[in-house]
Amino acid sequence: MEEKKEKSNILFLLFAIMFIIVTLVVLVGAYGVYLNRPKNFFKTTINNKYLKFNEHKSKVFNFNPAENKLESSLKLDLEVNQDGTKTTQELVNIDFNSDFKNEYLSTTINSKLYDQIKTDIAFDNDDLIINNKMIYEKPLLLNDVLEFNWDYFQNINEEDFDIVTSTIKNEVIKSLKDKDFKTKSTTIAIDGNDVRAKKITYVDKNANKTIEKIINNLANDDKFVKALANLTDTDKKDIVKELKDAKVEKDLKPITINLYTTGVFSKLAKTEIEYDGITVSYLNYKDENYEFKFESDDYEFVYSANINDDKEYDFIVKINKETKVKGVIKENSDEALKVNFEINVNKDTKVNGKVDIKTVKDNNSELTKKGSIIIYTNDKKEDYYKLSFESTIKKVKKVNKDNIKGAVNYNKLSKKEKAKIESQLEDNIESLKELLNFKLENQD
């Protein structure tokens, strides 16, 4: 009895494995049949690209200024090494602070090229405040210069944004007509080799009518209209009117979209858009070969990158068949970007350099990156120009407003003080021009 039971269990296990295999074959086959229909492949491709877009979008919305108090900064420095002499110059520091919920926005520009060029510009409720010692010893309040619509900035939210973008995406898919698809076998050039592919072509011969139909459908979609009204702080009736009144004034030429697929599972390898003598294409083959190309009757731009034996990417940029830039992408990820490059300035002059960018901090409350671009000016790479940067965006509990404390209302100043401000502006603008000319002349 025990032996029969064991045999029965084995038979059941074998039957279960066979059932799983058959099921997988059927499902894969069904999915293959589904994708082999041109419209379904287009639909799947659009949806997949939209999902990729959402992955990046979510990271951006993590620092949504409508929901968070933010402090951002950008610092630029220039290091020069020529003939054994090294000099370092702080170029500019830019700070950007926002608290849209409490109607505050400010930027501070501080250039080390000139001590007094530091300028604070702030929007506080309905007030514009400028703080610059070149202009006046205290911050100046200019409350009758402009009206700031804070509602527009306060209404930015991911939910409404998703509704707007997904609805437009779905309407584009719905506009696709089965009769406008064609397929054929072909080849695509990949790193000097011809690879067999299937070309799925969609031609819209009446783009005006398609766009107008999409816009009309959007106007009749209450969920879309409500979301767009929320984002733009506009009445729903006005949104509907704007959409229904919208017309494509220019007669558009036919638009052709080509998708090239390779392999048994019809993996997308290349996308190509043709319009009025212009062709734009993007190729990604097995994440090993990339190419972006822009072509017109009299111009061609090509960027291509192909994986090498070191698992790095050799890249080249050509304009009208002539190589302008080439190099190696040594690392390209969320954590770092490292590129060595060579620029062909002309037939006799080539310039070498490298890009090095790294992520210092990346979490829910702060994103900081540091990097540099180096241009070498001799073959031994001893002489160079190095532009360094550091950028940060972070969430804070309270935005610093010290730069606008004690602001003086410009309209309440005496005529004498106003005249002094105008004179200061003229004098310092001339001094700034002289300083910049001096810096440029000495740099040469």
Side-chain angles (χ1 to χ4, degrees), residues 201-332:
T201 298
Y202 182 79
V203 182
D204 190 335
K205 295 179 180 179
N206 196 340
N208 289 68
K209 188 175 180 180
T210 300
I211 293 172
E212 287 174 4
K213 186 177 180 180
I214 289 173
I215 293 174
N216 186 62
N217 289 345
L218 293 174
N220 292 314
D221 189 317
D222 187 67
K223 193 175 180 182
F224 170 85
V225 171
K226 183 180 178 181
L228 188 58
N230 290 340
L231 285 173
T232 59
D233 188 38
T234 308
D235 191 273
K236 285 173 60 178
K237 291 180 180 178
D238 293 332
I239 293 287
V240 173
K241 186 178 185 305
E242 286 288 331
L243 290 172
K244 289 192 171 182
D245 290 345
K247 299 290 180 185
V248 182
E249 301 295 336
K250 184 181 177 182
D251 287 334
L252 299 174
K253 302 286 178 67
I255 299 173
T256 301
I257 302 173
N258 300 311
L259 300 184
Y260 297 81
T261 69
T262 59
V264 177
F265 296 104
S266 297
K267 186 173 181 180
L268 180 65
K270 182 179 179 181
T271 303
E272 189 174 68
I273 301 173
E274 300 172 3
Y275 178 77
D276 195 20
I278 295 174
T279 301
V280 179
S281 64
Y282 174 73
L283 178 144
N284 174 5
Y285 183 67
K286 297 182 178 180
D287 294 329
E288 295 181 356
N289 309 94
Y290 295 87
E291 181 186 80
F292 172 81
K293 182 184 288 188
F294 176 93
E295 296 176 275
S296 65
D297 293 337
D298 56 358
Y299 181 81
E300 181 187 77
F301 173 90
V302 181
Y303 165 83
S304 60
N306 301 295
I307 199 165
N308 58 30
D309 293 338
D310 296 323
K311 303 300 180 183
E312 299 171 344
Y313 287 89
D314 297 320
F315 75 91
I316 190 167
V317 176
K318 290 185 177 182
I319 297 178
N320 295 334
K321 311 295 183 185
E322 185 179 342
T323 299
K324 296 295 183 180
V325 184
K326 64 180 180 179
V328 180
I329 302 172
K330 303 185 77 63
E331 185 176 354
N332 184 14

Side-chain angles (χ1 to χ4, degrees), residues 50-62:
Y50 182 73
L51 288 173
K52 286 288 184 183
F53 163 77
N54 270 346
E55 289 176 10
H56 296 289
K57 176 266 309 176
S58 296
K59 194 164 188 176
V60 173
F61 267 94
N62 178 54

Side-chain angles (χ1 to χ4, degrees), residues 71-209:
E71 290 186 353
S72 309
S73 65
L74 173 64
K75 180 182 178 183
L76 294 176
D77 297 329
L78 179 65
E79 181 182 311
V80 179
N81 190 21
Q82 296 293 315
D83 300 324
T85 302
K86 183 189 291 187
T87 58
T88 302
Q89 174 69 60
E90 293 183 36
L91 297 180
V92 65
N93 292 346
I94 301 174
D95 295 318
F96 188 83
N97 300 332
S98 65
D99 181 2
F100 288 159
K101 287 182 180 178
N102 293 303
E103 301 184 353
Y104 181 79
L105 177 67
S106 73
T107 182
T108 299
I109 303 172
N110 185 13
S111 174
K112 297 298 183 178
L113 292 172
Y114 188 43
D115 291 339
Q116 294 300 313
I117 205 172
K118 182 180 178 182
T119 303
D120 299 302
I121 301 172
F123 301 95
D124 190 15
N125 296 299
D126 292 328
D127 296 331
L128 169 63
I129 301 168
I130 297 176
N131 183 19
N132 186 313
K133 303 301 181 185
M134 289 169 59
I135 302 173
Y136 195 66
E137 61 267 18
K138 292 182 179 180
L140 284 174
L141 188 151
L142 309 169
N143 57 1
D144 59 351
V145 175
L146 51 81
E147 292 183 6
F148 216 75
N149 187 357
W150 290 101
D151 291 337
Y152 180 81
F153 295 97
Q154 292 168 340
N155 291 339
I156 302 169
N157 68 88
E158 191 171 4
E159 183 180 354
D160 285 328
F161 181 85
D162 285 344
I163 291 172
V164 169
T165 54
S166 65
T167 305
I168 293 173
K169 181 261 296 180
N170 291 335
E171 286 299 330
V172 170
I173 291 173
K174 281 166 58 178
S175 73
L176 301 174
K177 302 178 184 67
D178 290 313
K179 65 182 181 66
D180 293 328
F181 284 96
K182 291 182 180 179
T183 62
K184 73 172 186 177
S185 297
T186 186
T187 59
I188 51 177
I190 298 173
D191 196 18
N193 300 309
D194 288 334
V195 175
R196 292 176 60 185
K198 181 172 72 174
K199 181 181 180 182
I200 306 172
T201 298
Y202 182 79
V203 182
D204 190 335
K205 295 179 180 179
N206 196 340
N208 289 68
K209 188 175 180 180

